[in-house]
Amino acid sequence: MEYTKAEAKEWARENMKGIWAAALQPFREGDLALDEAGMRANIRHWVEDLGIDGLFIAGKQGEFFSMTLEERKRAFEIAADAVRGTGARTIMSASDQNMDVVLDLARYAQAVGADSIVVHAPVLHFVKDPDQILREYYKRISDEVDIAIALWSHPDSGYLMSPELCAELADLPNVVAIKYSVPREMYARLTQLAGDKLLVSTASEEEWLDNVLELGWRLYLCSSPPYLLQTAADRRMRDYTDLAFAGEAEKARAISASLEPVRHALKSTRPADKPQAHQKYWQELLGQVGGPVRAPMLELTEAEKAATRVAFEACGLKTARDAAE
């Protein structure tokens, strides 16, 4: 790593910036093995053509729940190797209900050259007050690895971590960031409480611009819009982000607003029970590698694909072919 545990917060402040995307994991048709070549091609496109600053690997978007431990580790290896020398960063998901698996993945990420890890708050819907559990949970992870750690609180856990608890956990030496999938008043409160020691972010692209301009955020951590709303010929998320960072609020808002037809096309055609399959098909429409999903996730029907294709073609997102014409 480029930093020691004691230097993790300073390193994160300097290097965890910009647009970070959560990778969908491509699988091969037929045998559903990891599509390693497809993964590398996607990463190359995202980093070189779209200007994405960091990649979140093997998270829920990436169907980690359907992958073996060895496959998750292999995905770490591929991503770390694929971004080497590009300037892009990685954050590997070490999330799991089993603490031994979390620690194994965290150590492996550190060993293969990941820049940081993210650990989802454990599922504790059967516990009335999880705060002391979470204190001990994240302290143990922090104690046992040196790599920078991002917290991740989401309703999937059966609860939401409070801003006050997150601010307390930010005192751990290598806890540097949080993907905080909560209402805006909660993440604004956490930014106020701990913004000097914790990089606070949320996955909503629609809220990203306001959070840059109003809360002073510099890190989008992270979901799939950075590579679903953009092409090499149409980098409007990158453009409005850079304008916002430069203080050009009016120009940034105009560009962000112009993406509304693309956002609507993507969201309005997504079946509620098929997020990964829908996004992978959208990737294919963009010329990226999508591929099938694994069980228990469901594939799109031909009718769902047709509706998505019609919306995609009408949304106004420019492709390389459009630029050439």
Side-chain angles (χ1 to χ4, degrees):
M1 298 189 307
E2 299 176 358
Y3 56 89
T4 65
K5 179 184 286 192
E7 297 167 336
K9 290 186 190 297
E10 181 182 357
W11 175 89
R13 189 70 58 181
E14 290 297 317
N15 293 280
M16 294 184 73
K17 297 178 180 178
I19 299 170
W20 290 42
L24 291 155
Q25 181 65 49
F27 303 116
R28 295 193 314 222
E29 296 285 352
D31 64 4
L32 295 180
L34 296 185
D35 186 343
E36 298 192 8
M39 184 178 181
R40 288 179 183 276
N42 282 346
I43 289 174
R44 184 167 56 251
H45 170 62
W46 297 341
V47 172
E48 296 179 2
D49 299 331
L50 303 184
I52 291 173
D53 299 294
L55 299 175
F56 181 121
I57 302 299
K60 285 184 285 189
Q61 296 273 20
E63 300 174 71
F64 84 88
F65 46 80
S66 72
M67 296 164 65
T68 66
L69 183 58
E70 291 72 21
E71 287 175 325
R72 294 175 72 180
K73 290 179 176 180
R74 180 59 183 152
F76 289 3
E77 293 172 6
I78 294 166
D81 181 63
V83 303
R84 194 167 289 119
T86 68
R89 300 292 183 176
T90 56
I91 184 166
M92 311 299 192
S93 177
S95 304
D96 202 271
Q97 276 299 99
N98 184 296
M99 175 63 91
D100 289 338
V101 172
V102 171
L103 293 173
D104 187 13
L105 287 168
R107 295 184 185 111
Y108 198 80
Q110 183 172 318
V112 300
D115 293 298
S116 54
I117 61 168
V118 59
V119 182
H120 199 293
V123 174
L124 296 171
H125 56 77
F126 42 82
V127 172
K128 184 176 180 180
D129 183 4
D131 283 14
Q132 187 56 31
I133 294 173
L134 293 166
R135 289 185 186 98
E136 295 187 16
Y137 180 80
Y138 281 111
K139 183 178 187 303
R140 182 175 173 191
I141 299 168
S142 173
D143 285 346
E144 297 212 18
V145 299
D146 296 330
I147 196 169
I149 301 165
L151 313 174
W152 184 5
S153 182
H154 189 284
D156 287 355
S157 298
Y159 59 90
L160 294 175
M161 294 164 59
S162 70
E164 290 73 20
L165 176 63
C166 295
E168 181 182 339
L169 295 174
D171 288 331
L172 294 169
N174 51 336
V175 168
V176 302
I178 183 169
K179 183 177 179 181
Y180 206 25
S181 304
V182 299
R184 193 169 197 264
E185 58 268 21
M186 290 181 68
Y187 65 67
R189 170 69 173 157
L190 179 55
T191 303
Q192 180 185 40
L193 287 174
D196 60 333
K197 56 184 178 180
L198 191 69
L199 299 170
V200 183
S201 190
T202 198
S204 171
E205 182 273 330
E206 291 165 298
E207 298 172 62
W208 166 234
L209 178 57
D210 284 341
N211 293 333
V212 173
L213 297 174
E214 297 171 14
L215 299 179
W217 286 10
R218 291 296 181 269
L219 173 64
Y220 176 80
L221 185 73
C222 49
S223 191
S224 53
Y227 56 84
L228 297 182
L229 299 182
Q230 301 191 104
T231 71
D234 190 347
R235 305 194 337 170
R236 276 179 277 175
M237 185 179 177
R238 178 80 265 171
D239 292 343
Y240 81 66
T241 295
D242 289 343
L243 285 166
F245 284 171
E248 298 278 358
E250 187 174 343
K251 291 179 181 177
R253 289 195 186 281
I255 293 174
S256 177
S258 76
L259 275 172
E260 199 55 40
V262 187
R263 295 184 185 108
H264 177 74
L266 184 60
K267 287 192 170 186
S268 66
T269 57
R270 182 183 301 167
D273 298 328
K274 302 177 180 179
Q276 285 93 345
H278 180 264
Q279 291 175 96
K280 285 184 172 185
Y281 183 62
W282 190 276
Q283 280 187 289
E284 292 173 2
L285 295 173
L286 287 167
Q288 299 175 32
V289 180
V293 294
R294 283 182 174 177
M297 304 312 296
L298 301 173
E299 295 289 359
L300 297 184
T301 65
E302 289 305 314
E304 289 165 342
K305 288 183 178 180
T308 301
R309 188 165 57 250
V310 168
F312 173 83
E313 291 171 351
C315 74
L317 190 60
K318 295 179 183 177
T319 65
R321 183 179 61 188
D322 296 327
E325 294 173 354

